[in-house]
Structures are given as C-alpha cells and as structure tokens.
Amino acid sequence: MKIPIYQIDAFANTVFSGNPAAVCILQTWLPPQTMQRIAQENNLAETAFIVQKDSIFELRWFTPETEVDLCGHATLASAYVLFEYKGFKKNTIQFYSPRSGHLSVTKGSNDLMTMDFPEDELIAYEENTELNEAIGLTPKNTFKGKTDYLLIYDSQQKIEAISPNFHLLDAIDCRGVIVTAPGKDVDFVSRFFAPLCGIPEDPVTGSAHTSMTPYWSKVLGKTKLSAKQLSKRGGELQCEYLKGRVKISGKAVPYLMGEITI
C-alpha cells in the first residue's frame, strides 16, 4: 500500500520555521495502531490523517506517542494540502474530528488561513506544587482545561527564561503545560511542553490558543489578539475570541512531498 504524505511548516512564512506537521491522505481509515506507527516513524510533533466523507473531511491527529483530541498546526497543514494539492475549490473546508466535533478552515487573502475551533473550558486550579517544581517558576494563576494546564505569568522575560525539569514534568497527568504572559510586541506570548506525548517543547501549538485566547481576551478587554510562541523555531498567530469559539489564523509553506510504503 502506498500513502501520499506531505510535510508542511504551519504558522510559518518560510521553511524551517513554525511547526512541521505530516499530512497523510487516506481512502479509508487504517487501524489505529498502524496510524500510530506511522506517526512514530515520522517523529514529528503531529501527523494528521484525512479521509473524505462526502463534503466533509474526517481528521485525526497522532503524536509519536498517542492520538490527541485536537491539533491546530496539523489542521492548518491539512487545509493547506487540500487547497494547494488536492484541488479543493471552495474557500472553506469542513473538517470533522471524532474527538473535537466540527472544525473549519477558511482561506483568506495573502495566503492567510483561519481555523474555527471550539473554546477550551478553563477551571481555576489550586496551586500545584509538583507542577511548579517541574516548571521551575511559580505562576500568578493556574488553570486546567480539557487536556492541558495553563500557567499565567506577568512578563515575557519569565516565559523566555523557563527551563523545565522534564523528568518531573513527565510525571504530571496531562497532555501538556502552557506557560503564557503579556508580550512585548504582541498581546500575549507562550510556550508549550508535552513530554507525555513525546514532545518536550512544541514549536507552535494552535490548540493551546483555544485556552489562551479566551483568557487574554477577558484580561485585555479585546476580542482580536496577536500572539507569538517563543520556541526556537517560533511562530506568529492572529486570534479572535467569539463566545464558545476561537478563530486562529496563520500561514503555511511546503517542505516535502512523497509516498509511504507499508
């Protein structure tokens, strides 16, 4: 069996920046263990698998270690592949995730694509000593979303300086940990750590912005926000908070096209 595969740098204007994702186009669903092994072989933060069902594209995401509920950069990469290489003619692609419901990506001007995702629901959390020790810096506030912790700090400098103890962080029961603060030249900045998923630090995490955008929208009193993820590769995002939904915009560029033989 041969499977088309694309590697796309999402939330990027040029290659070698943003967050790389693999996208596999399938005719029918493969066994989950096979998709997991493909993701392990790719060894990227995320591999997306797509199966078209009538006018909707079903979508699933795998890290090297596990299937996840939602992934922003691999959804953006998937939309890029469908727009640029699979002849999708409409401006909006309708996706369906068995774990996150209906999602969409709309192509706008200047190659900007906008994802429409459900808002994460945050619950204020008491101080977590083990988590603070793993991150190495006590936050102002701690929240827990559907899959991630959200830690709030007061300066971009603190976010830049964080150096987690990944051995301790690996013991925290969550998909990942988001650290965020007001930005110097954007509304907010962040980093994302997910060692349990096989991703010590993710370059640009679209799904994490479904947690941060509602929070910073309320704190800053605005619905449209600019964001930057402070990883080595870096990534810039434009976010908009609509009650119950979050729009996340970015660009993507191609790096690789080929076939998997299994």
Side-chain angles (χ1 to χ4, degrees), residues 182-183 186-188 215-226:
V186 293
D187 289 310
F188 64 92
Y215 174 83
W216 288 115
S217 175
K218 293 167 187 175
V219 169
L220 299 176
K222 56 197 296 190
T223 57
K224 294 184 178 180
L225 304 103
S226 57

Side-chain angles (χ1 to χ4, degrees), residues 109-180:
S109 59
N110 299 321
D111 298 322
L112 197 68
M113 294 178 289
T114 299
M115 301 183 293
D116 186 331
F117 279 5
E119 171 189 359
D120 193 14
E121 296 183 5
L122 298 176
I123 299 173
Y125 207 80
E126 293 182 6
E127 186 171 318
N128 186 318
T129 303
E130 291 79 10
L131 178 56
N132 294 349
E133 185 179 0
I135 291 295
L137 186 64
T138 300
K140 291 175 55 179
N141 300 102
T142 300
F143 297 90
K144 184 68 164 58
K146 182 179 178 182
T147 60
D148 305 323
Y149 282 99
L150 176 65
L151 308 184
I152 310 299
Y153 296 89
D154 57 12
S155 74
Q156 178 171 326
Q157 184 179 7
K158 289 183 178 179
I159 301 300
E160 292 169 341
I162 286 174
S163 180
N165 182 322
F166 287 106
H167 176 71
L168 296 178
L169 197 59
D170 197 47
I172 305 297
D173 185 19
C174 63
R175 180 190 72 153
V177 178
I178 310 161
V179 296
T180 183

Side-chain angles (χ1 to χ4, degrees), residues 2-184:
K2 294 186 181 296
I3 299 169
I5 185 169
Y6 303 80
Q7 187 170 319
I8 307 296
D9 287 342
F11 298 114
N13 297 316
T14 61
V15 292
F16 309 125
S17 62
N19 201 353
V23 179
C24 295
I25 308 294
L26 306 177
Q27 297 301 312
T28 59
W29 286 112
L30 298 171
Q33 59 268 29
T34 302
M35 292 189 286
Q36 185 64 72
R37 292 178 72 179
I38 291 171
Q40 289 172 342
E41 188 81 4
N42 290 338
N43 200 32
L44 295 169
E46 233 86 25
T47 296
F49 296 89
I50 302 171
V51 173
Q52 185 173 3
K53 298 290 181 70
D54 298 322
S55 62
I56 293 177
F57 294 87
E58 293 186 354
L59 182 61
R60 295 169 71 176
W61 312 272
F62 288 78
T63 76
E65 298 292 336
T66 188
E67 184 174 5
V68 296
D69 292 342
L70 184 65
C71 177
H73 82 280
T75 301
L76 199 73
S78 297
Y80 181 88
V81 169
L82 294 174
F83 281 129
E84 298 298 325
Y85 299 113
K86 295 301 176 182
F88 190 85
K89 300 301 183 185
K90 296 181 181 179
N91 287 334
T92 300
I93 299 173
Q94 300 293 336
F95 289 108
Y96 177 77
S97 158
R99 296 191 176 199
S100 290
H102 291 278
L103 315 168
S104 67
V105 180
T106 299
K107 187 176 184 179
S109 59
N110 299 321
D111 298 322
L112 197 68
M113 294 178 289
T114 299
M115 301 183 293
D116 186 331
F117 279 5
E119 171 189 359
D120 193 14
E121 296 183 5
L122 298 176
I123 299 173
Y125 207 80
E126 293 182 6
E127 186 171 318
N128 186 318
T129 303
E130 291 79 10
L131 178 56
N132 294 349
E133 185 179 0
I135 291 295
L137 186 64
T138 300
K140 291 175 55 179
N141 300 102
T142 300
F143 297 90
K144 184 68 164 58
K146 182 179 178 182
T147 60
D148 305 323
Y149 282 99
L150 176 65
L151 308 184
I152 310 299
Y153 296 89
D154 57 12
S155 74
Q156 178 171 326
Q157 184 179 7
K158 289 183 178 179
I159 301 300
E160 292 169 341
I162 286 174
S163 180
N165 182 322
F166 287 106
H167 176 71
L168 296 178
L169 197 59
D170 197 47
I172 305 297
D173 185 19
C174 63
R175 180 190 72 153
V177 178
I178 310 161
V179 296
T180 183
K184 295 176 183 177

